[in-house]
Amino acid sequence: MEPIVVGICGGSASGKTSLCWKVQESLGVDCTVLEMDNFYRGLTPEQLPKVHEYNFDHPNALDFDDIYEALATLTKGHDAEIPVYDFKTHSRAPYKQTIKTNKLILYEGIYSLFDPRIRDMMKLKVFVHTDDDLRLCRRIKRDTAERGRSVDNVLDQYFKFVKPSYDEYIQPTMNYADIIVPHGAYNKVAVDLIVLNLKNYLV
Ligand code: ADP
Ligand code: C5P
């Protein structure tokens, strides 16, 4: 049976990663989670000093060709070699990581429903809808604790790039979703619906 791809989309800190783990836990089967974040283009030495002017929330910040290749490899039943991205240095590591193929591949990221070639590979498309204020609060906590940012830095980036790009490019991709999930991973009814749907393909 060919591996199936499920797209999990939503704004930054909407709960995409948490939903992936919840679906995996409820399904009770091992899945592969492919994180879009690993496919950020590394900044060049010329771009690095001006990092505060760089828009990581624009689709051009990502390499969709590489994502497509990785998903195509995984769906053909082969393991994929993908980049390792570091949010603290805004760069790719000089080595790659191996992602195991699996019956179920959960592909999550702010632009997971953006590229038509990638959307066409999906059996199910999910959009996690979480209010902007909640997402901003979570992002402040996460980025200061885990991604080496200050509160001022997170707020500047949010108003300059994160929110405008969400409104212009990401939120419109909600139209491609089969299921829109309010409250993310804590929405048990939605998790159950997703799991029920996936069981049709996995048995
Ligand atoms: P994303 O993958 O969309 O960026 P995450 O799932 O990593 O989002 O969640 C971002 C942060 O918000 C994490 O610290 C996570 O623990 C927290 N979080 C996620 N969902 C909820 C929720 N429903 N209620 C409270 N906190 C949550
Ligand atoms: O995990 P999450 O979906 O929040 O990751 C996407 C976010 O990561 C984007 O909103 C982008 O602003 C941020 N990002 C960043 N620094 C980078 C790369 C991405 O702040 N170097």
Side-chain angles (χ1 to χ4, degrees):
M1 192 182 68
E2 191 176 283
I4 62 165
V5 179
V6 174
I8 312 258
C9 189
S12 173
S14 56
K16 302 178 293 293
T17 310
S18 310
L19 182 66
C20 286
W21 293 117
K22 208 71 188 170
V23 166
Q24 197 164 189
E25 183 186 286
S26 300
L27 255 181
V29 299
D30 186 37
C31 322
T32 289
V33 179
L34 185 69
E35 296 177 359
M36 185 207 76
D37 290 347
N38 282 304
F39 296 87
Y40 271 107
R41 298 177 199 281
L43 294 193
T44 62
E46 293 74 38
Q47 288 171 317
L48 262 178
K50 296 183 195 157
V51 63
H52 300 299
E53 292 167 25
Y54 189 84
N55 186 357
F56 291 102
D57 291 77
H58 190 278
N60 289 347
L62 289 145
D63 192 332
F64 291 104
D65 289 342
D66 275 5
I67 300 173
Y68 176 76
E69 287 304 324
L71 280 169
T73 305
L74 292 168
T75 53
K76 280 179 197 139
H78 305 297
D79 297 345
E81 297 285 306
I82 70 158
V84 178
Y85 187 73
D86 184 343
F87 282 96
K88 289 188 179 147
T89 58
H90 316 285
S91 64
R92 289 182 176 191
Y95 51 87
K96 299 230 169 179
Q97 58 181 319
T98 304
I99 299 287
K100 294 264 174 219
T101 188
N102 219 320
K103 276 200 243 173
L104 176 59
I105 295 149
L106 303 174
Y107 163 52
E108 69 91 3
I110 56 175
Y111 278 112
S112 56
L113 299 186
F114 185 76
D115 185 295
R117 293 169 305 170
I118 297 174
R119 276 203 309 273
D120 283 349
M121 298 172 123
M122 296 174 182
K123 279 278 188 293
L124 179 67
K125 304 181 210 66
V126 178
F127 193 101
V128 183
H129 183 261
T130 304
D131 287 345
D132 290 3
D133 53 355
L134 263 181
R135 292 193 296 103
L136 175 58
C137 292
R138 290 180 192 167
R139 180 151 168 154
I140 292 169
K141 281 177 84 174
R142 183 196 61 194
D143 286 7
T144 51
E146 296 170 22
R147 295 187 180 176
R149 314 290 164 89
S150 67
V151 174
D152 277 354
N153 180 230
V154 177
L155 292 175
D156 284 349
Q157 186 188 8
Y158 184 83
F159 291 113
K160 203 164 164 191
F161 297 123
V162 181
K163 183 166 167 48
S165 295
Y166 178 79
D167 293 341
E168 185 169 356
Y169 302 109
I170 299 166
Q171 206 262 356
T173 68
M174 197 193 288
N175 285 323
Y176 300 115
D178 303 303
I179 301 179
I180 296 165
V181 178
H183 318 305
Y186 289 70
N187 186 334
K188 187 169 176 337
V189 174
V191 172
D192 288 349
L193 278 173
I194 293 168
V195 166
L196 197 66
N197 179 275
L198 293 179
K199 278 186 176 161
N200 291 330
Y201 298 108
L202 296 173
V203 289

